[in-house]
Amino acid sequence: MTLSNGAGRSGSWLSLGRNPDARVRLFCLPHAGAGTASYHGWKRQLPAEIEICPVQIPGRESRLAEPSYTSSEALIEEIALAIADRTDKPYAIFGHSMGALLALDLALRLREHGQPEPAHLFVSGRNATHVPMKHGSIHQLTDEEFLDALAIRYGGLPQEILETPELLEVYLPILRADLTLLETHTYIARSPLACPVSAFAGKEDKNVSQTGLTAWGEHTTGRFESLWFEGDHFYLNGASRPALLEAIANRLQNALAGLPSHNQLSGSDGR
């Protein structure tokens, strides 16, 4: 089912090469419609002791020819199987928006498969999984209505995509599949994790509330914090990225502080 390089039955689930000197792996899950590209730059901006492992899900980038998943349960099972052999050293999970929903479910599914819990769970840009969605479903709307709803909720698609029919034809089905996955997700109450959880959001994100972000704390018996950054739903791609990465590096440093090693995480170098 799972190959030693993180490849599954239908393609590679992890991008970027291995870093044998890393002390911790950070699995990064994408937001709706996105791939791994936004996480590649993190490799240069975080200490070398952190191995960045962006998760490649089918239907985009190098896996564009594969069908997209519309079931979160099926997708999580495949990801868990694909990365099971990469939990041989401390690991953490980061997920933004759709990725936050996947991140919690992935941590729980790995635990169910007998794998250790993550050293830290980072969830971003989303109210807690068990909090009802603020808006109604949009995945079944017509293309025009769907695009209008995206503009209102998330600021819309890049102008380049909207003005290029060929790009829109490729991108729209991916995004619709992801919204189907999100809007048909069924929350199942399970025992909380024991690992620390950090919940992040942009101060101008209309989709996240103070109550909803704080509610992530119900999914752990360990330490919990909620932090707000300058910016909107995609704050992590703007001026707040260095502060976000510094926060992640510091928390992973704390998680690894008790492990025997001559190397300590040095925090973000800000490059």
Side-chain angles (χ1 to χ4, degrees), residues 56-199:
Q56 294 187 125
I57 61 179
R60 64 212 69 205
E61 296 179 325
S62 64
R63 305 186 71 179
L64 184 62
E66 300 176 46
S68 297
Y69 278 77
T70 56
S71 164
S72 61
E73 183 176 359
L75 177 58
I76 286 299
E77 180 66 14
E78 290 292 340
I79 297 174
L81 290 169
I83 71 172
D85 69 332
R86 303 291 291 274
T87 61
D88 57 323
K89 64 171 59 177
Y91 73 94
I93 303 174
F94 177 93
H96 178 69
S97 196
M98 178 184 76
L101 178 148
L102 297 176
L104 175 63
D105 281 2
L106 178 59
L108 292 168
R109 185 62 58 87
L110 287 168
R111 184 180 68 179
E112 291 167 359
H113 281 305
Q115 302 297 326
E117 287 192 9
H120 206 110
L121 178 67
F122 301 99
V123 287
S124 169
R126 180 182 173 85
N127 289 332
T129 303
H130 66 281
V131 176
M133 294 185 66
K134 180 179 178 181
H135 305 286
S137 297
I138 66 173
H139 69 273
Q140 292 180 319
L141 297 178
T142 65
D143 286 352
E144 183 177 355
E145 293 170 335
F146 185 66
L147 290 171
D148 288 343
L150 289 174
I152 294 172
R153 298 185 188 184
Y154 305 107
L157 302 182
Q159 201 62 30
E160 178 186 5
I161 294 178
L162 292 174
E163 295 178 350
T164 308
E166 294 82 5
L167 289 177
L168 192 60
E169 184 179 358
V170 171
Y171 192 70
L172 202 55
I174 298 171
L175 197 52
R176 191 183 291 277
D178 286 352
L179 266 293
T180 302
L181 182 151
L182 280 170
E183 294 172 353
T184 60
H185 175 268
T186 300
Y187 170 70
I188 300 175
R190 285 172 281 187
S191 299
L193 299 166
C195 66
V197 174
S198 296

Side-chain angles (χ1 to χ4, degrees), residues 41-63:
W42 289 24
K43 183 178 181 179
R44 300 187 301 273
Q45 296 172 297
L46 285 169
E49 291 89 345
I50 302 175
E51 181 181 3
I52 304 300
C53 302
V55 177
Q56 294 187 125
I57 61 179
R60 64 212 69 205
E61 296 179 325
S62 64
R63 305 186 71 179

Side-chain angles (χ1 to χ4, degrees), residues 182-252:
L182 280 170
E183 294 172 353
T184 60
H185 175 268
T186 300
Y187 170 70
I188 300 175
R190 285 172 281 187
S191 299
L193 299 166
C195 66
V197 174
S198 296
F200 306 139
K203 294 179 180 179
E204 300 172 22
D205 191 339
K206 300 177 182 178
N207 301 287
V208 183
S209 67
Q210 180 68 58
T211 301
L213 195 67
T214 303
W216 282 107
E218 298 178 29
H219 295 286
T220 182
T221 59
R223 297 190 311 276
F224 172 76
E225 64 176 343
S226 59
L227 293 177
W228 295 84
F229 294 87
E230 296 297 330
D232 57 16
H233 186 64
F234 294 107
Y235 75 94
L236 71 171
N237 296 328
S240 290
R241 176 180 286 185
L244 169 66
L245 296 183
E246 182 177 11
I248 291 173
N250 287 341
R251 280 139 188 84
L252 291 180

Side-chain angles (χ1 to χ4, degrees), residues 9-25:
R9 292 170 295 176
S10 55
S12 176
W13 285 89
L14 296 174
S15 66
L16 299 182
R18 287 179 181 259
N19 176 7
D21 297 325
R23 296 183 61 212
V24 60
R25 295 186 174 112

